[in-house]
């Protein structure tokens, strides 16, 4: 997968296909006011869902903040639903591109594992559940972690 564009298809015998979509910088909304979003990833098995959505540029036209993006991680299930606000920078998107390459190769990924960001892990095949798994942790702010399947 080259650059930030492309898609990864995860398939398990039990749950069927799950789709992961990467984005290119050219597709980003100029600002939140434009009213549309771009998903970095959208995983669902029908009952549970995980999505990272770019909402737009934080401060379009302000040179030192122009590349900062507002984003959110959304987790939904019949048991719990949550939203976690995030800020993304160009290096985060470059790391995401590398993570998608690893995911495409069937490897587990860990994205944004630092002291100031939510940690997102994706396991293409969790051995315990024989399905993809997505643990999300917010150690720096809420100290909450959620994992599904």
């Amino acid at each position: 997968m080259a650059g930030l564009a492309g898609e990864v298809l995860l398939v398990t015998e039990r749950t069927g296909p799950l789709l992961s979509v990467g984005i290119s910088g050219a597709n980003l909304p100029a600002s939140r006011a434009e009213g549309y979003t771009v998903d970095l990833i959208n995983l669902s098995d029908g009952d549970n869902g995980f999505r990272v959505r770019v909402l737009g540029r934080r401060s379009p036209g302000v040179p030192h903040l122009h590349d900062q993006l507002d984003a959110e991680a959304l987790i939904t299930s019949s048991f719990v639903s949550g939203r976690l606000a995030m800020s993304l920078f160009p290096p985060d998107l470059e790391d995401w591109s590398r993570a998608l390459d690893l995911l495409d190769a069937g490897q587990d990924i860990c994205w944004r594992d630092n002291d100031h960001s939510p940690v997102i892990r994706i396991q293409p095949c969790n051995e315990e559940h024989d399905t993809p798994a997505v643990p999300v942790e917010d150690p720096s702010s809420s100290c909450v972690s959620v994992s599904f399947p």
Side-chain angles (χ1 to χ4, degrees), residues 10-16 18 43 45 103 106-109 121-136 146-149:
L10 302 176
V11 179
T12 66
E13 291 178 16
R14 208 174 114 210
T15 61
L18 297 174
L43 300 174
D45 66 4
L103 197 59
Q107 297 180 31
D108 294 357
I109 65 167
R121 291 180 171 80
I122 300 175
Q123 300 172 304
C125 185
N126 177 281
E127 292 177 11
E128 181 180 347
H129 300 286
D130 196 30
T131 185
V134 182
V136 179
V146 177
S147 182
F148 72 86

Side-chain angles (χ1 to χ4, degrees), residues 29-141:
S31 71
R32 294 180 75 168
E34 289 185 15
Y36 63 91
T37 61
V38 176
D39 288 345
L40 288 178
I41 191 166
N42 185 358
L43 300 174
S44 176
D45 66 4
D47 295 322
N48 302 301
F50 171 73
R51 176 182 304 197
V52 175
R53 176 182 291 167
V54 176
L55 303 172
R57 295 189 188 282
R58 167 77 42 98
S59 299
V62 179
H64 70 285
L65 295 176
H66 183 74
D67 288 338
Q68 185 176 359
L69 303 172
D70 289 326
E72 63 186 1
L74 301 166
I75 298 168
T76 57
S77 77
S78 59
F79 177 69
V80 66
S81 294
R83 178 190 174 278
L84 183 61
M86 303 186 301
S87 292
L88 300 176
F89 295 90
D92 294 319
L93 296 178
E94 292 166 7
D95 291 344
W96 180 246
S97 177
R98 285 188 287 279
L100 286 178
D101 289 340
L102 293 172
L103 197 59
D104 188 34
Q107 297 180 31
D108 294 357
I109 65 167
C110 180
W111 184 53
R112 304 189 78 214
D113 188 7
N114 61 47
D115 294 335
H116 307 290
S117 302
V119 180
I120 297 170
R121 291 180 171 80
I122 300 175
Q123 300 172 304
C125 185
N126 177 281
E127 292 177 11
E128 181 180 347
H129 300 286
D130 196 30
T131 185
V134 182
V136 179
E137 303 169 34
D138 182 27
S140 64
S141 182

